[in-house]
Short mmCIF file of all heavy atoms in Angstrom, two decimals:
data_model
loop_
_atom_site.label_atom_id
_atom_site.label_comp_id
_atom_site.label_asym_id
_atom_site.label_seq_id
_atom_site.Cartn_x
_atom_site.Cartn_y
_atom_site.Cartn_z
N LYS A 35 256.02 -36.50 76.79
CA LYS A 35 257.20 -36.23 75.99
C LYS A 35 257.09 -34.80 75.47
O LYS A 35 256.07 -34.42 74.89
CB LYS A 35 257.28 -37.21 74.82
CG LYS A 35 258.55 -37.12 74.02
CD LYS A 35 258.60 -38.23 72.98
CE LYS A 35 259.89 -38.21 72.23
NZ LYS A 35 259.94 -39.29 71.23
N THR A 36 258.13 -34.00 75.70
CA THR A 36 258.14 -32.60 75.29
C THR A 36 259.57 -32.19 74.99
O THR A 36 260.49 -33.00 75.10
CB THR A 36 257.50 -31.71 76.38
OG1 THR A 36 257.42 -30.37 75.90
CG2 THR A 36 258.28 -31.74 77.66
N THR A 37 259.76 -30.93 74.62
CA THR A 37 261.12 -30.48 74.33
C THR A 37 261.89 -30.30 75.64
O THR A 37 261.31 -30.09 76.70
CB THR A 37 261.11 -29.15 73.55
OG1 THR A 37 260.46 -28.16 74.34
CG2 THR A 37 260.43 -29.30 72.20
N LEU A 38 263.20 -30.38 75.54
CA LEU A 38 264.05 -30.32 76.73
C LEU A 38 263.92 -29.00 77.52
O LEU A 38 263.79 -29.04 78.75
CB LEU A 38 265.50 -30.59 76.34
CG LEU A 38 266.49 -30.77 77.48
CD1 LEU A 38 266.09 -31.94 78.36
CD2 LEU A 38 267.88 -30.98 76.94
N PRO A 39 263.93 -27.83 76.87
CA PRO A 39 263.77 -26.59 77.66
C PRO A 39 262.43 -26.53 78.41
O PRO A 39 262.39 -26.13 79.57
CB PRO A 39 263.87 -25.48 76.62
CG PRO A 39 264.61 -26.07 75.48
CD PRO A 39 264.25 -27.52 75.47
N LYS A 40 261.36 -26.98 77.76
CA LYS A 40 260.06 -27.00 78.44
C LYS A 40 260.08 -28.00 79.59
O LYS A 40 259.52 -27.74 80.66
CB LYS A 40 258.95 -27.40 77.46
CG LYS A 40 258.58 -26.35 76.45
CD LYS A 40 257.50 -26.90 75.55
CE LYS A 40 257.33 -26.05 74.32
NZ LYS A 40 256.40 -26.66 73.37
N ALA A 41 260.73 -29.12 79.40
CA ALA A 41 260.79 -30.15 80.43
C ALA A 41 261.55 -29.66 81.66
O ALA A 41 261.16 -29.94 82.79
CB ALA A 41 261.45 -31.41 79.87
N LYS A 42 262.63 -28.93 81.44
CA LYS A 42 263.41 -28.43 82.58
C LYS A 42 262.61 -27.44 83.41
O LYS A 42 262.67 -27.44 84.64
CB LYS A 42 264.69 -27.77 82.08
CG LYS A 42 265.73 -28.78 81.60
CD LYS A 42 266.97 -28.08 81.11
CE LYS A 42 268.02 -29.08 80.65
NZ LYS A 42 269.23 -28.41 80.13
N ILE A 43 261.86 -26.58 82.75
CA ILE A 43 261.04 -25.61 83.48
C ILE A 43 259.87 -26.33 84.16
O ILE A 43 259.53 -26.03 85.30
CB ILE A 43 260.55 -24.51 82.53
CG1 ILE A 43 261.74 -23.70 82.04
CG2 ILE A 43 259.56 -23.59 83.24
CD1 ILE A 43 261.40 -22.67 81.01
N LEU A 44 259.29 -27.31 83.46
CA LEU A 44 258.17 -28.06 84.03
C LEU A 44 258.60 -28.83 85.28
O LEU A 44 257.85 -28.93 86.24
CB LEU A 44 257.60 -29.04 83.00
CG LEU A 44 256.47 -29.95 83.49
CD1 LEU A 44 255.26 -29.11 83.91
CD2 LEU A 44 256.10 -30.96 82.43
N LYS A 45 259.83 -29.33 85.30
CA LYS A 45 260.31 -30.08 86.46
C LYS A 45 260.29 -29.21 87.71
O LYS A 45 259.78 -29.62 88.76
CB LYS A 45 261.72 -30.61 86.20
CG LYS A 45 262.26 -31.40 87.35
CD LYS A 45 263.64 -31.94 87.08
CE LYS A 45 264.11 -32.73 88.28
NZ LYS A 45 265.44 -33.26 88.12
N ALA A 46 260.82 -28.00 87.60
CA ALA A 46 260.83 -27.09 88.76
C ALA A 46 259.40 -26.69 89.15
O ALA A 46 259.05 -26.68 90.34
CB ALA A 46 261.65 -25.85 88.44
#
Side-chain angles (χ1 to χ4, degrees):
K35 187 174 183 180
T36 185
T37 60
L38 189 60
K40 288 179 194 173
K42 286 180 179 178
I43 294 175
L44 177 63
K45 181 179 180 182

